[in-house]
């Protein structure tokens, strides 16, 4: 019962094969049965066994990464520069053209905005980043982020071979969910879960701390599923009051214990 938990946020951490997926499947079935809506960022397609979950291939249906979703244009540009940096783009070269698509209104149409950015840039790193994005999203239907929040599993199977693109696309989805929810009214009742499998793609970004610090009062809970928490900011871990740790070998247990400041007695 999320209403009885200290926070809407929790984490499941464990080695491969130790039962992370089974644990989350069990929890999500019960929460969905109580009326909680979920969006699963599902890199491996493991959460389609939950009744009522609709699969969404992100190369066939995706969000407009330029949409404001509760932010000002200046704030969205700032977020986009951070995210494009993941793909190795020179953000200084990208900044003037990003400002242009917001000043002329092109940001409302994902494909026109991408076309404008590609035609305007003479920077090889920006051009390569834009071409890589379009190689995956050229045939996608662009939908509002709100359409994906009602019991959907976003599938990234065709993008798995490209880790930085995975990090980029997973990050922009989580970012837009966050800003969209934060632009809604305050509610103490948990209504929506954002479930992020293979969460190491986003846990080391500034977005992770934003998610666990601010979203609870707006009805959003975040579930991180990951193999390791080594290197994750203490500020993030301290704001996740429920962490389910599954077993592993001695070296693994030692690394988790150190990250969570557990004693041998714990």
């Amino acid at each position: 019962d999320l209403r009885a938990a200290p926070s809407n946020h929790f984490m499941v951490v464990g080695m491969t094969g130790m039962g992370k997926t089974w644990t989350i499947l069990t929890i999500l079935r019960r929460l969905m049965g109580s009326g909680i809506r979920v969006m699963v960022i599902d890199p491996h397609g493991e959460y389609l066994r939950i009744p009522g979950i609709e699969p969404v291939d992100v190369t066939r249906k995706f969000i407009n990464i330029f949409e404001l979703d509760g932010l000002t244009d200046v704030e969205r540009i700032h977020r986009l520069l951070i995210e494009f940096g993941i793909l190795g783009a020179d953000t200084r070269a990208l900044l003037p053209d990003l400002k242009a698509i917001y000043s002329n209104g092109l940001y409302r149409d994902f494909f026109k905005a991408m076309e404008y950015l590609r035609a305007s840039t003479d920077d090889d790193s920006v051009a390569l980043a834009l071409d890589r994005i379009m190689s995956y999203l050229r045939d996608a239907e662009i939908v509002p982020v709100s359409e994906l929040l009602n019991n959907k599993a976003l599938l990234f199977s065709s993008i798995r071979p490209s880790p930085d693109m995975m990090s980029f696309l997973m990050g922009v989805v989580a970012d837009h969910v966050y800003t969209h929810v934060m632009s809604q009214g305050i509610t103490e009742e948990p209504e929506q879960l954002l479930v992020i499998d293979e969460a190491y793609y986003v846990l080391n970004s500034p977005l992770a701390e934003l998610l666990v610090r601010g979203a609870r009062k707006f009805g959003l809970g975040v579930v991180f599923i990951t193999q390791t928490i080594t290197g994750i900011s203490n500020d993030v871990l301290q704001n996740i009051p429920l962490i389910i740790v599954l077993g592993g070998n001695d070296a693994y247990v030692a690394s988790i214990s150190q990250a969570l400041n557990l004693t041998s007695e714990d």
Side-chain angles (χ1 to χ4, degrees):
D1 180 0
L2 279 183
R3 294 166 184 81
S7 168
N8 298 349
H9 310 313
F10 62 96
M11 175 184 285
V12 176
V13 57
M15 294 177 63
T16 298
M18 295 306 296
K20 296 188 299 296
T21 302
W22 182 88
T23 301
I24 291 295
L25 287 171
T26 304
I27 292 171
L28 290 185
R29 284 193 186 101
R30 296 188 180 189
L31 290 177
M32 289 174 65
S34 69
I36 302 292
R37 295 174 296 141
V38 303
M39 176 210 263
V40 185
I41 294 179
D42 186 3
H44 303 300
E46 294 183 303
Y47 296 88
L48 303 181
R49 289 171 279 174
I50 305 175
I53 286 285
E54 177 186 343
V56 175
D57 183 338
V58 296
T59 65
R60 298 296 176 185
K61 185 178 288 189
F62 202 67
I63 62 171
N64 178 2
I65 67 174
F66 305 109
E67 188 56 68
L68 296 176
D69 280 324
L71 290 182
T72 65
D73 55 353
V74 175
E75 281 296 323
R76 180 55 71 199
I77 289 171
H78 172 68
R79 301 284 188 95
L80 285 168
L81 290 175
I82 295 172
E83 289 152 356
F84 270 97
I86 295 170
L87 299 179
D90 183 343
T91 55
R92 292 173 299 178
L94 183 59
L95 177 58
D97 294 330
L98 277 178
K99 288 182 175 178
I101 67 168
Y102 284 91
S103 64
N104 61 26
L106 279 178
Y107 76 90
R108 297 184 183 91
D109 186 314
F110 170 75
F111 293 108
K112 288 182 179 179
M114 290 291 287
E115 183 180 356
Y116 178 91
L117 293 174
R118 184 63 179 85
S120 300
T121 189
D122 56 4
D123 184 274
D124 290 343
S125 68
V126 173
L128 179 59
L130 295 169
D131 289 344
R132 291 180 65 202
I133 294 168
M134 288 306 296
S135 72
Y136 291 108
L137 301 183
R138 69 175 75 256
D139 298 320
E141 175 190 358
I142 303 302
V143 299
V145 70
S146 57
E147 184 175 320
L148 301 177
L149 289 174
N150 190 18
N151 299 339
K152 303 290 195 300
L154 275 59
L155 308 181
F156 291 79
S157 55
S158 62
I159 302 168
R160 281 200 301 263
S162 179
D164 60 341
M165 186 61 68
M166 284 279 287
S167 182
F168 173 82
L169 294 178
M170 288 172 65
V172 294
V173 169
D175 192 3
H176 280 260
V177 170
Y178 171 78
T179 58
H180 170 77
V181 169
M182 292 290 282
S183 68
Q184 310 301 305
I186 291 178
T187 174
E188 292 295 331
E189 291 294 313
E191 299 174 350
Q192 176 80 48
L193 277 182
L194 173 61
V195 181
I196 306 177
D197 198 6
E198 304 293 355
Y200 55 83
Y201 282 112
V202 299
L203 271 169
N204 288 314
S205 74
L207 175 63
E209 188 172 345
L210 290 176
L211 284 167
V212 297
R213 280 186 179 274
R216 181 183 62 81
K217 291 184 179 179
F218 294 82
L220 176 67
V222 184
V223 182
F224 297 105
I225 309 162
T226 183
Q227 294 183 28
T228 180
I229 54 177
T230 303
I232 298 173
S233 162
N234 284 333
D235 290 332
V236 172
L237 292 176
Q238 289 169 3
N239 280 278
I240 305 176
L242 175 59
I243 301 179
I244 301 172
V245 182
L246 303 175
N249 59 39
D250 288 350
Y252 180 81
V253 171
S255 69
I256 296 296
S257 299
Q258 183 176 10
L260 293 178
N261 295 316
L262 302 179
T263 66
S264 57
E265 183 178 343
D266 295 327

